[in-house]
Amino acid sequence: QKFVKEIIETIILGLLLFLALQFSLQNFRVEGSSMSPTLEGGQHVVVNKLIYTNLPNWSLFRNIPYIENGTNNRIYLFRSPNRGDIVVFKPPFDNKRDFVKRIIGIPGDTVAILNGNIFINEKPQEESYIQKSSNGNMLPQKVPNGSYFVLGDNRPSSNDSRKWGLLPGENIIGISWFSYWPIKQLDILRVFQ
């Protein structure tokens, strides 16, 4: 009877761990070259889905330390998405696929592109991760609450906010945490600003 009890406890513990991991982490396979050289096609990353978790908009949560009050009346358990985060998301035009891009503009920012150079709030941005820039232009665009402006690191071959507009915050699945496959590309990606 004791043996059966221990087996049942082990199975329950295993199921709880499995559910916790499913809720907080997801693996993602990069397709295409839009994030090159940061992420290459075929590379696998672990996505942290917990970092941007939204809490109900109750006054109880607004008084707890380390809880961030975000835009659009969102309360984040850990933090809101930041500029530079590499995020996995459902694009607004196709909820069957996941994309990976870098957040360039956050709510309140005004984003412009002049000869391929990014300007945030009229200030040019240093983008050391870019190897191939484009020569394109984009008139200044203000990012409203609850939305983000995302771009691929390989600007000439990226399907991103320049083509389909702003990314709704609720479409973000999580932040790319680290690359684990192939082994030679094992790397911790930038998570904290």
Side-chain angles (χ1 to χ4, degrees):
Q1 220 174 5
K2 184 179 178 184
F3 178 72
V4 171
K5 181 182 174 189
E6 287 180 10
I7 287 185
I8 291 172
E9 287 175 351
T10 303
I11 291 171
I12 290 172
L13 181 61
L15 284 172
L16 289 174
L17 283 172
F18 174 76
L19 290 173
L21 286 174
Q22 285 296 102
F23 177 73
S24 59
L25 300 175
Q26 172 183 325
N27 65 332
F28 175 77
R29 183 178 184 271
V30 178
E31 294 179 14
S33 62
S34 72
M35 282 300 291
S36 179
T38 308
L39 294 172
E40 301 291 344
Q43 198 167 346
H44 293 256
V45 296
V46 171
V47 177
N48 179 342
K49 300 192 298 187
L50 204 54
I51 195 164
Y52 303 142
T53 299
N54 290 311
L55 296 173
N57 192 8
W58 300 336
S59 61
L60 163 75
F61 292 123
R62 293 193 180 278
N63 298 321
I64 299 174
Y66 307 110
I67 298 239
E68 181 179 333
N69 293 322
T71 58
N72 206 22
N73 290 327
R74 291 175 182 247
I75 301 173
Y76 292 96
L77 181 58
F78 295 103
R79 71 171 178 84
S80 60
N82 288 330
R83 260 185 240 108
D85 288 355
I86 299 171
V87 294
V88 173
F89 59 90
K90 300 260 183 225
F93 58 88
D94 183 0
N95 64 1
K96 294 180 180 147
R97 296 176 56 197
D98 294 342
F99 276 27
V100 59
K101 305 289 179 205
R102 186 181 299 271
I103 293 178
I104 301 297
I106 60 174
D109 283 345
T110 299
V111 181
I113 303 174
L114 181 59
N115 296 324
N117 297 309
I118 304 293
F119 289 81
I120 305 287
N121 303 322
E122 300 181 357
K123 295 179 184 168
Q125 300 299 297
E126 176 67 33
E127 296 185 292
S128 58
Y129 45 84
I130 298 292
Q131 280 188 346
K132 292 181 182 176
S133 185
S134 64
N135 294 329
N137 296 308
M138 185 186 83
L139 293 172
Q141 179 177 11
K142 186 154 176 100
V143 181
N145 280 346
S147 295
Y148 296 88
F149 188 88
V150 296
L151 293 175
D153 289 356
N154 183 6
R155 301 286 157 77
S157 71
S158 179
N159 182 9
D160 50 39
S161 287
R162 295 171 296 173
K163 295 180 182 168
W164 42 258
L166 297 169
L167 173 67
E170 60 267 14
N171 287 32
I172 297 176
I173 295 167
I175 188 170
S176 297
W177 209 4
F178 64 90
S179 168
Y180 67 91
W181 191 261
I183 292 293
K184 65 181 179 180
Q185 293 174 314
L186 184 68
D187 192 17
I188 295 175
L189 302 170
R190 179 175 170 265
V191 176
F192 300 104
Q193 193 156 334

